[in-house]
Amino acid sequence: MEAIKRLKALLKEIYIINSSVSLMHWDQSTYIPSKGAETRAEALGYLSTLAFKKLTSPEMGELLETLSSQNLLNSLSNIDTALLRVVKRDYEKAKAIPPELYEKFVIASSRGQNAWEKAKREDDFGYFRPYLEEIIKLLREMVEFYGYEKDPYDALLDNFEPGMTTERLQHIIAELKPEIINFVRTLSKLPAIDTSFLNGRFARHLQSRLSKMALKVIGYDFDAGRLDETVHPFTITIGPGDVRVTTGYKPSDFTASLYGTIHEGGHALYEQGISPELKWTPLADGASMGIHESQSRLMENIIGKSYEFLSFFYPKIQKAFPKVLENVSLDMFYKAVNKVEPSLIRIEADEVTYNLHIMLRFELEKALINKELEVKDLPEAWNEKMKEFLGIVPPNDTMGVLQDVHWGSGMIGYFPSYMLGNLYAAQFFNTAVSEIPDLHQQIAAGEISNLLQWLREKIHKHGRVYEPDELCKRVTGEELSPRYFIDYIKSKFGKIYGL
Amino acid sequence: MEAIKRLKALLKEIYIINSSVSLMHWDQSTYIPSKGAETRAEALGYLSTLAFKKLTSPEMGELLETLSSQNLLNSLSNIDTALLRVVKRDYEKAKAIPPELYEKFVIASSRGQNAWEKAKREDDFGYFRPYLEEIIKLLREMVEFYGYEKDPYDALLDNFEPGMTTERLQHIIAELKPEIINFVRTLSKLPAIDTSFLNGRFARHLQSRLSKMALKVIGYDFDAGRLDETVHPFTITIGPGDVRVTTGYKPSDFTASLYGTIHEGGHALYEQGISPELKWTPLADGASMGIHESQSRLMENIIGKSYEFLSFFYPKIQKAFPKVLENVSLDMFYKAVNKVEPSLIRIEADEVTYNLHIMLRFELEKALINKELEVKDLPEAWNEKMKEFLGIVPPNDTMGVLQDVHWGSGMIGYFPSYMLGNLYAAQFFNTAVSEIPDLHQQIAAGEISNLLQWLREKIHKHGRVYEPDELCKRVTGEELSPRYFIDYIKSKFGKIYGL
């Protein structure tokens, strides 16, 4: 047991260094003065590398070897067994890539992100192309080091969603895609929903007050976090008892900050709910990106954009902006925030069309990694798929293939998490409804605590103890299925559109 | 030259780790949520220890040894020579104390501070006594390890003011004390100055605006820092280009936040003015605590409470609080903020009596370290000296021996820095007046930039390159003398009191 103690001490060191990195990141997006920002990257680089070095140190290797001997494994608690599993996983992933290759990739990702920013601003894919080519070239090398069973792309997918494979994802998509495409076609023939009244001028301090109110309603603990303003909303855990949320305020559209905040609030509830038992260890994190996203999408969409929640919360919104919303009924507002319409930009997409944006990206990035597509042909492939999936074609690359930061910064294999999050959310909520009596009525009364209690017990408190698959089975009794999402979408939007 | 490169790389690592510690400290005083604060100390402890371990590492020892060989020293630049001097100093100080003793001291200091807080709150010196006894006992051991020429107390003094000795301090005090005591006696026979109009209710946002305005006037660069609210004001450097100031707002007294901010602004100007050449090294710091304090006291008192500065700035103050200050003339305000009166609390003391509070503490802490006084006799000794120096005796220990945090947190040898700061400030300013034509008129026009330029060139940009003594000689042509302070005080307050 001496070894497990030493392992935990080493993990705590890594946790604390990462915690200082998180605080620097948060500070960099919120309060850092401009001249301080110039050298912050160097500090961040050093501290991140320090944590990485400790994770891949010979000491870590020896501890893991000692602890992996069979007779020891049987004497470990469930949590310690899980701890060993995730540390081994993280260690092996980190050790899999030769340091020189990894360094090349870090540099290429950093350059790629800068190039992407310029290319997007100037609508110039040609400028971005060589940077993305370098990233794809390196990732094609890296997947060989990570290893995979069937598809090279599996290796990247597994970085974000442990256990998920390309094959399984394709099965899910095969079931989901035609349903969504058909449903969108049906809805697009019906009269459009009016959203014009959502435009106006909305004072920042009123938006901020509304965002805080929404966070309180969903159960976010302000004694263990805070809300600040940034350009792009995010959630970041600084340390135990310190999970911070940020949001951005658009003067012309308060729904962006409101739903952005509720989305991040969902992520934050997950991290605030992780058991204190897992403190200072890598288990104190989400089970996967998909599971994490399920918590944010559940709060943002399934709760936040439900008729029940809005019947409680819309009067508060109306009170915050009485002039603009004076003549807007709950019904009008509910429909407006749930308008379905094929659109060009993923992050602005509605619940129904959103997954189509993800499928498109998944198919393209899989083809890039599996050498079925080259970067030079990417814009054309993007536009073709937009036409096929959503029936529209972007007028330029800025609103098309250049819209997202992910690829330029080396994040390939991440996009499917967003879709998985939507599917997990619907499946989890389906179980919650059956296990919590009167849940819909509770939500309509602004009473989220029973749902939160349920989420804490079933999902949040376990952190990374269970892999996504096992967690899904424990919560819902079966593995992930797109059926629940399809049913949810058809039922909700069928009613909204009077089908 | 390979060794100097490696040294700088190692120093940069230490700098960055310390930088993460600073950010955590700043965050802890400003924005941390309460539940996050519970575990912050552990993170701070780990990271501070990590920096300490790197400073005292065998690698550091070897590098210093290599670099100390005579033939190399001659080939080093001035800055690298200074760098080597301060790193050797810091290394040797850190290595001087056996780790077990140092750890005991860190624990005793932490417990001592907690005990002090309770004892002060409850006016219970008896409760505090054993904690302080432990600290004094450990410090008496530690000074033997640090080493000293004459007085054991020298070893502690040198931690904060390199080169300063007990003997020299006593000479300075011998010259200063009777002058001040006599001058205070003279002033106390004159009619008291009215300050009643300074009381009122001052909205926080107006105080904050005024504080920011004052920082801008003295030349603080908001692109390389920021102002936030904390209980106690402080200045902290997070990293290159990032020097932050905090202040506290008393609803009933805006002069506390205003002068607190200008004081911290003086510290911040020093750190903002350090040459970028010294970036990431321990040279990017103040020459000593005394020199640092000279910059804050110069801005707070010699500039901020001067008639010239107020003739420019008071109209702005009046505009901020028109109702309270409507009938208060510049003359009345100037006199009010410069009222001289023996008082019990150091941090509220005026410019004339302030140093008496320091002399008292110096004599007591010196006696404690030199085994001429025991902790049990401290309250009585305190009260006797208060009677002797200031003519008043505190009604309780909370307003007497328990008022300051320093001793309980192990900071012994620090207090003299405050007095030295006052003396350096007067001596520096005396030179500035002779070297900058029309300085008084410039200040009266709110034009501080020439003075700041002068301070930058003479003091700020050098950071720790020169020891306090050498710096003082370079700036003023002679070593520190209390004469300038005495002249300044007599001239300024003689006029105010119509002598």
Side-chain angles (χ1 to χ4, degrees):
Chain A
M1 287 306 87
E2 183 54 30
I4 195 94
K5 256 194 197 163
R6 282 206 293 138
L7 179 71
K8 284 180 184 174
L10 185 54
L11 291 171
K12 186 171 171 178
E13 289 185 37
I14 296 171
Y15 186 99
I16 288 174
I17 297 167
N18 284 328
S19 172
S20 77
V21 169
S22 299
L23 183 62
M24 283 196 175
H25 271 300
W26 174 83
D27 183 67
Q28 192 173 23
S29 303
T30 51
Y31 296 121
I32 201 173
S34 57
K35 290 180 186 171
E38 289 167 21
T39 56
R40 178 58 61 87
E42 283 189 75
L44 279 168
Y46 169 71
L47 291 165
S48 306
T49 308
L50 187 63
F52 184 82
K53 279 185 185 161
K54 286 197 179 275
L55 173 64
T56 55
S57 62
E59 189 190 355
M60 181 65 87
E62 284 156 28
L63 282 169
L64 287 175
E65 209 173 315
T66 307
L67 285 161
S68 297
S69 67
Q70 200 51 49
N71 53 342
L72 214 91
L73 267 186
N74 294 330
S75 64
L76 290 178
S77 70
N78 277 353
I79 286 177
D80 286 349
T81 307
L83 182 64
L84 211 52
R85 187 197 80 233
V86 308
V87 177
K88 273 182 81 164
R89 183 186 141 88
D90 294 350
Y91 174 81
E92 280 160 14
K93 288 246 174 211
K95 290 291 266 190
I97 309 297
E100 316 75 54
L101 179 56
Y102 189 72
E103 204 188 327
K104 271 190 202 168
F105 177 68
V106 169
I107 293 167
S109 302
S110 166
R111 287 189 185 146
Q113 187 169 339
N114 292 333
W116 166 77
E117 277 169 20
K118 184 176 150 77
K120 181 178 176 179
R121 204 169 44 238
E122 298 174 4
D123 186 29
D124 184 357
F125 184 82
Y127 177 77
F128 180 49
R129 184 181 142 184
Y131 294 93
L132 185 56
E133 279 171 342
E134 172 72 6
I135 288 170
I136 298 298
K137 183 183 135 270
L138 295 170
L139 281 170
R140 283 175 179 172
E141 285 179 50
M142 284 163 71
V143 294
E144 300 304 323
F145 286 101
Y146 282 132
Y148 50 86
E149 294 219 348
K150 280 189 173 169
D151 267 276
Y153 182 76
D154 287 352
L156 300 183
L157 200 50
D158 185 74
N159 280 344
F160 304 103
E161 197 66 18
M164 183 53 66
T165 63
T166 310
E167 194 173 21
R168 206 170 141 212
L169 213 48
Q170 282 170 318
H171 277 128
I172 290 171
I173 289 173
E175 191 174 346
L176 191 57
K177 188 157 72 177
E179 295 268 13
I180 297 182
I181 288 179
N182 287 334
F183 191 55
V184 172
R185 279 198 193 128
T186 306
L187 296 185
S188 67
K189 284 171 199 139
L190 299 169
I193 288 172
D194 181 19
T195 60
S196 58
F197 51 80
L198 292 179
N199 292 313
R201 302 298 296 176
F202 304 97
R204 174 164 302 189
H205 72 279
L206 296 176
Q207 291 197 46
S208 161
R209 199 184 296 165
L210 199 61
S211 284
K212 281 185 183 150
M213 206 187 290
L215 284 178
K216 274 184 195 149
V217 170
I218 65 172
Y220 177 78
D221 179 0
F222 273 95
D223 288 335
R226 42 182 297 118
L227 175 68
D228 295 277
E229 186 182 349
T230 50
V231 179
H232 303 291
F234 65 86
T235 300
I236 194 162
T237 291
I238 310 290
D242 192 354
V243 181
R244 304 187 188 184
V245 173
T246 75
T247 196
Y249 303 110
K250 272 194 197 174
S252 63
D253 174 15
F254 73 91
T255 63
S257 69
L258 177 62
Y259 283 105
T261 304
I262 298 177
H263 178 98
E264 298 308 325
H267 283 301
L269 289 174
Y270 192 178
E271 305 250 337
Q272 285 189 333
I274 292 170
S275 166
E277 272 189 283
L278 311 180
K279 194 169 74 172
W280 305 118
T281 78
L283 291 175
D285 201 348
S288 71
M289 288 299 153
I291 301 291
H292 228 307
E293 200 64 20
S294 78
Q295 299 307 294
S296 54
R297 304 290 286 182
L298 192 151
M299 282 299 159
E300 178 190 2
N301 293 328
I302 301 183
I303 304 299
K305 290 183 180 166
S306 69
Y307 191 82
E308 291 81 3
F309 181 79
L310 286 173
S311 68
F312 168 79
F313 200 72
Y314 179 62
K316 294 175 195 303
I317 300 177
Q318 219 170 8
K319 214 170 159 185
F321 306 114
K323 277 192 193 148
V324 185
L325 299 175
E326 197 176 18
N327 298 313
V328 177
S329 68
L330 166 62
D331 219 59
M332 286 162 76
F333 185 80
Y334 171 63
K335 285 184 175 169
V337 297
N338 283 299
K339 183 182 184 177
V340 178
E341 188 177 44
S343 60
L344 296 170
I345 308 297
R346 174 185 63 86
I347 58 166
E348 295 170 3
D350 57 81
E351 276 185 90
V352 180
T353 57
Y354 188 92
N355 287 333
L356 296 174
H357 292 268
I358 301 304
M359 294 172 197
L360 173 151
R361 285 158 179 75
F362 160 68
E363 292 185 10
L364 294 177
E365 66 183 23
K366 174 176 65 70
L368 285 169
I369 296 302
N370 293 358
K371 304 185 187 171
E372 295 151 359
L373 176 69
E374 294 307 322
V375 171
K376 69 173 168 46
D377 303 319
L378 191 56
E380 208 188 317
W382 179 285
N383 293 347
E384 270 169 25
K385 283 208 189 288
M386 279 299 291
K387 180 87 196 147
E388 182 193 336
F389 290 10
L390 285 143
I392 50 177
V393 175
N396 54 49
D397 289 335
T398 294
M399 300 179 80
V401 67
L402 288 173
Q403 69 183 263
D404 290 313
V405 64
H406 302 60
W407 290 342
S409 58
M411 294 231 288
I412 291 190
Y414 189 102
F415 277 124
S417 306
Y418 295 119
M419 184 179 73
L420 294 170
N422 289 327
L423 307 188
Y424 282 127
Q427 189 164 337
F428 290 157
F429 191 68
N430 177 72
T431 308
V433 168
S434 74
E435 294 185 2
I436 306 171
D438 306 327
L439 179 56
H440 289 296
Q441 290 92 314
Q442 289 177 25
I443 295 169
E447 188 51 71
I448 311 293
S449 60
N450 283 324
L451 173 63
L452 180 57
Q453 193 49 44
W454 186 89
L455 292 168
R456 291 248 144 111
E457 200 52 43
K458 301 280 178 175
I459 300 166
H460 300 180
K461 75 171 191 184
H462 304 298
R464 263 177 97 188
V465 168
Y466 305 114
E467 294 220 334
D469 250 351
E470 190 182 348
L471 185 68
C472 187
K473 279 181 206 146
R474 284 178 157 263
V475 177
T476 69
E478 55 180 315
E479 67 176 20
L480 180 66
S481 154
R483 205 59 247 165
Y484 300 97
F485 179 77
I486 295 167
D487 290 349
Y488 159 73
I489 286 292
K490 286 196 172 172
S491 158
K492 174 176 176 178
F493 291 91
K495 272 185 214 142
I496 290 175
Y497 278 84
L499 281 181
Chain B
M1 286 306 88
E2 183 55 29
I4 195 94
K5 253 194 200 163
R6 282 207 291 139
L7 178 71
K8 284 181 184 172
L10 185 54
L11 291 171
K12 186 170 172 180
E13 290 185 35
I14 296 171
Y15 185 100
I16 288 174
I17 297 167
N18 284 328
S19 170
S20 78
V21 169
S22 299
L23 184 61
M24 283 195 174
H25 270 300
W26 174 84
D27 182 69
Q28 192 172 24
S29 304
T30 51
Y31 296 121
I32 202 172
S34 56
K35 290 181 186 171
E38 289 167 21
T39 56
R40 180 58 60 88
E42 284 189 75
L44 280 168
Y46 169 70
L47 291 165
S48 307
T49 306
L50 188 62
F52 184 83
K53 278 185 186 163
K54 285 197 180 274
L55 173 64
T56 56
S57 62
E59 190 190 354
M60 180 66 88
E62 285 156 28
L63 282 169
L64 288 175
E65 211 173 311
T66 307
L67 285 162
S68 297
S69 67
Q70 201 49 50
N71 54 342
L72 214 90
L73 268 186
N74 294 330
S75 64
L76 290 178
S77 69
N78 277 354
I79 286 178
D80 285 350
T81 307
L83 182 65
L84 211 53
R85 186 197 82 234
V86 309
V87 178
K88 273 183 82 164
R89 182 186 143 88
D90 294 351
Y91 175 81
E92 279 159 15
K93 288 247 173 210
K95 290 290 266 191
I97 309 298
E100 316 75 53
L101 179 56
Y102 189 73
E103 204 187 327
K104 272 190 201 167
F105 177 68
V106 170
I107 293 166
S109 302
S110 165
R111 287 188 185 146
Q113 186 169 340
N114 292 333
W116 166 78
E117 276 168 22
K118 184 177 151 77
K120 181 177 177 179
R121 203 169 45 238
E122 298 174 2
D123 186 30
D124 185 356
F125 184 82
Y127 177 78
F128 180 49
R129 184 181 143 185
Y131 294 95
L132 185 57
E133 279 171 343
E134 172 73 4
I135 287 170
I136 298 298
K137 184 183 135 268
L138 295 170
L139 281 169
R140 283 174 179 173
E141 286 179 50
M142 284 163 73
V143 294
E144 299 305 323
F145 286 102
Y146 281 132
Y148 51 86
E149 293 218 349
K150 281 189 171 170
D151 268 276
Y153 181 77
D154 286 352
L156 300 183
L157 200 50
D158 185 73
N159 280 343
F160 303 103
E161 197 66 19
M164 183 54 65
T165 63
T166 310
E167 194 173 21
R168 203 167 144 214
L169 214 47
Q170 281 170 319
H171 277 129
I172 289 171
I173 289 172
E175 191 174 346
L176 192 57
K177 188 157 73 176
E179 295 268 14
I180 296 181
I181 289 179
N182 287 335
F183 191 56
V184 173
R185 279 197 194 129
T186 307
L187 296 185
S188 68
K189 285 170 199 142
L190 299 170
I193 288 173
D194 180 20
T195 59
S196 59
F197 51 79
L198 293 180
N199 293 312
R201 302 297 295 176
F202 304 98
R204 173 163 303 187
H205 73 279
L206 296 177
Q207 291 197 46
S208 161
R209 201 185 294 164
L210 199 61
S211 284
K212 281 184 183 151
M213 207 187 290
L215 283 178
K216 275 184 194 149
V217 170
I218 65 173
Y220 177 78
D221 179 1
F222 273 95
D223 288 334
R226 42 181 298 118
L227 176 68
D228 294 277
E229 186 181 349
T230 50
V231 179
H232 302 291
F234 65 86
T235 300
I236 194 163
T237 291
I238 311 289
D242 192 354
V243 181
R244 305 185 189 185
V245 173
T246 74
T247 195
Y249 303 108
K250 272 195 198 175
S252 63
D253 174 15
F254 73 90
T255 64
S257 70
L258 177 62
Y259 283 105
T261 304
I262 298 177
H263 178 98
E264 298 306 327
H267 283 302
L269 289 175
Y270 192 178
E271 304 248 341
Q272 285 189 335
I274 293 171
S275 167
E277 270 190 284
L278 311 179
K279 194 169 73 171
W280 305 119
T281 78
L283 291 175
D285 201 348
S288 72
M289 288 299 152
I291 300 291
H292 228 308
E293 201 64 19
S294 78
Q295 299 307 294
S296 54
R297 303 290 285 183
L298 191 149
M299 282 299 159
E300 178 191 2
N301 292 329
I302 301 183
I303 303 301
K305 291 183 181 168
S306 68
Y307 192 82
E308 291 81 4
F309 181 80
L310 286 173
S311 68
F312 168 80
F313 200 72
Y314 179 61
K316 293 175 197 304
I317 300 176
Q318 219 171 8
K319 214 169 159 187
F321 306 114
K323 278 193 191 147
V324 184
L325 299 175
E326 196 176 18
N327 298 314
V328 178
S329 68
L330 166 61
D331 218 58
M332 287 163 74
F333 185 79
Y334 171 63
K335 285 184 175 168
V337 297
N338 282 297
K339 183 182 185 176
V340 177
E341 188 177 44
S343 61
L344 296 170
I345 307 297
R346 174 185 62 86
I347 57 165
E348 295 169 2
D350 58 80
E351 277 185 88
V352 180
T353 58
Y354 187 93
N355 287 333
L356 296 174
H357 292 268
I358 301 304
M359 294 172 197
L360 173 151
R361 286 158 179 76
F362 160 68
E363 292 184 10
L364 294 177
E365 65 182 24
K366 175 176 66 68
L368 284 169
I369 297 303
N370 292 358
K371 302 183 187 171
E372 294 151 3
L373 177 69
E374 293 306 322
V375 172
K376 69 174 167 45
D377 302 319
L378 190 56
E380 208 189 316
W382 179 285
N383 293 347
E384 270 170 24
K385 284 208 187 287
M386 278 298 292
K387 180 86 194 147
E388 182 193 337
F389 290 11
L390 285 144
I392 50 178
V393 175
N396 54 49
D397 289 334
T398 294
M399 299 178 80
V401 68
L402 287 173
Q403 68 182 262
D404 290 312
V405 64
H406 302 61
W407 290 343
S409 57
M411 295 232 287
I412 291 189
Y414 189 102
F415 278 123
S417 306
Y418 295 118
M419 185 179 73
L420 294 169
N422 289 327
L423 307 188
Y424 281 127
Q427 189 163 336
F428 291 157
F429 191 68
N430 178 71
T431 307
V433 168
S434 74
E435 295 186 1
I436 306 171
D438 306 327
L439 180 54
H440 290 296
Q441 289 93 313
Q442 288 176 27
I443 295 168
E447 189 50 72
I448 311 293
S449 61
N450 284 323
L451 173 63
L452 180 56
Q453 193 49 44
W454 186 89
L455 291 169
R456 292 247 144 112
E457 200 52 43
K458 301 280 177 176
I459 301 166
H460 299 180
K461 75 171 191 185
H462 304 297
R464 265 177 96 188
V465 168
Y466 305 114
E467 293 220 336
D469 251 351
E470 189 181 349
L471 185 67
C472 187
K473 279 182 207 146
R474 286 179 154 260
V475 177
T476 69
E478 56 181 314
E479 66 177 22
L480 181 65
S481 154
R483 205 59 249 165
Y484 300 98
F485 179 77
I486 295 167
D487 291 347
Y488 160 71
I489 286 292
K490 287 198 172 168
S491 158
K492 173 176 177 178
F493 292 90
K495 272 186 215 140
I496 290 174
Y497 279 84
L499 281 179

